[in-house]
Amino acid sequence: MYVPDDPPATCPACGDPYDSVSRHADGFVANLLDNERYQRVCFTAVSDAGDPALDCYHHTHEQAGTD
């Protein structure tokens, strides 16, 4: 996992602001049921040096419009 060099200003999946972005080329688990920091994670398929990967955009509770 790493942070893309030139992340967009807003989430390309939903258009909302986001707190952070990470790129994953291997498997991972996203559990937001008990997450105090993030309410939602949007996923966007990307190519990383020709290999498939996912960019994950992490939205806080405030950014997702929840409390």
Side-chain angles (χ1 to χ4, degrees):
M1 184 279 305
Y2 73 95
V3 177
D5 292 332
D6 190 20
T10 59
C11 175
C14 70
D16 289 343
Y18 61 91
D19 186 56
S20 64
V21 59
S22 58
R23 180 165 293 166
H24 301 264
D26 295 322
F28 65 96
V29 174
N31 175 10
L32 300 180
L33 294 175
D34 300 314
N35 194 306
E36 293 181 16
R37 185 171 181 185
Y38 297 117
Q39 173 65 33
R40 182 176 77 226
V41 177
C42 293
F43 304 95
T44 301
V46 295
S47 177
D48 186 44
D51 294 325
L54 287 175
D55 280 357
C56 303
Y57 294 86
H58 310 99
H59 300 275
T60 63
H61 291 265
E62 182 178 318
Q63 291 167 330
T66 62
D67 49 15

